[in-house]
Amino acid sequence: MLSQQIRTWDVLDERVLGTLRATHREAFVPENERDLAFADLEIPLPHGQCMMAPKVEARLLQELAIEPTDRVLEIGTGSGYLAACLARLADSVVSLEIFGDLCDAAGTRLEQAGVENVELWNQDAMEADFDTGFDAIAVTASVPVLSERFINLLNPNGRLFIVVGRPPVMQATLVSKHADGSWTERSLFETLLTPMINAEQPEPFVL
């Protein structure tokens, strides 16, 4: 997987590659999909959700440039695999999952994997309140437009990975918040992700 999928997508950061080696993806894949654990595709989860393709997960981890002291927010726990990877790179992770059964299953997998620095919340990300900000935020579902909700949760010099757009065109985007509170965004690559439940849905612009 690392040589054929990950490196060919310009993922060369040794901390990220080491995290992918050490985190057993197959342990987080639904049992009936284990044969596809390392395939270059999304893996279906209950409720119409999906695990991202390995190369997208790897690029997300590299682009966020997570430091060992970082506090990270993940929107969409899913299987728990990405949370486990984030936990290896960061000091702590808060991960939100709207579906209770997915949240419970991910908690069991994380416990079995010995991951202790992930706090799981069974909550809608569009309604959750947070007492403090985050150094990095990973959004594992797409939104039709980039809103400031998640940007406002970033600490100064924080980074947000989010996929923006509607089918058939979505853009993986990195938002960087600066020390003065301003922010910039950078397009990374085209991809498709399952839409975020209850995301803001402005009307498409029509000429």
Side-chain angles (χ1 to χ4, degrees):
M1 181 180 79
L2 290 182
S3 60
Q4 295 181 359
Q5 298 179 43
I6 307 305
R7 292 182 186 274
T8 58
W9 257 46
D10 296 325
V11 178
L12 304 175
D13 186 298
E14 285 300 326
R15 287 189 68 226
V16 171
L17 294 173
T19 292
L20 296 173
R21 291 190 195 98
T23 308
H24 300 292
R25 195 170 194 268
E26 68 276 13
F28 290 87
V29 173
E31 189 170 348
N32 63 329
E33 303 286 355
R34 290 280 166 83
D35 291 345
L36 300 176
F38 302 105
D40 183 18
L41 47 76
E42 293 184 339
I43 293 178
L45 299 171
H47 307 290
Q49 305 304 296
C50 291
M51 290 180 68
M52 291 186 290
K55 63 188 180 186
V56 177
E57 293 167 331
R59 279 292 298 273
L60 179 157
L61 293 170
Q62 178 168 272
E63 297 294 344
L64 284 177
I66 296 167
E67 296 293 336
T69 56
D70 281 350
R71 184 171 188 253
V72 176
L73 173 65
E74 179 189 30
I75 304 300
T77 311
S79 72
Y81 173 72
L82 189 63
C85 292
L86 293 167
R88 287 186 178 274
L89 294 165
D91 177 68
S92 63
V93 177
V94 174
S95 183
L96 272 63
E97 174 55 58
I98 195 170
F99 295 108
D101 56 339
L102 288 181
C103 189
D104 292 342
T108 298
R109 294 186 185 111
L110 290 166
E111 183 178 358
Q112 291 172 343
V115 179
E116 299 180 347
N117 58 332
V118 175
E119 182 179 346
L120 295 178
W121 293 14
N122 177 202
Q123 195 165 357
D124 185 341
M126 302 308 294
E127 298 179 353
D129 292 322
F130 304 92
D131 295 331
T132 59
F134 297 89
D135 303 299
I137 300 175
V139 181
T140 67
S142 65
V143 295
V145 295
L146 180 62
S147 74
E148 296 190 23
R149 174 170 176 78
F150 298 127
I151 299 171
N152 291 337
L153 294 174
L154 289 173
N155 292 328
N157 301 314
R159 293 83 58 203
L160 163 67
F161 179 98
I162 191 166
V163 173
V164 182
R166 294 181 171 91
V169 179
M170 297 181 183
Q171 197 75 30
T173 303
L174 183 72
V175 178
S176 299
K177 192 170 187 179
H178 308 299
D180 63 0
S182 65
W183 52 275
T184 53
E185 58 183 283
R186 177 165 60 92
S187 294
L188 302 173
F189 54 88
E190 289 188 1
T191 189
L192 291 173
L193 283 186
T194 303
M196 179 185 294
I197 295 172
N198 297 334
E200 297 177 10
Q201 295 286 342
E203 290 296 324
F205 178 74
V206 179
L207 291 174

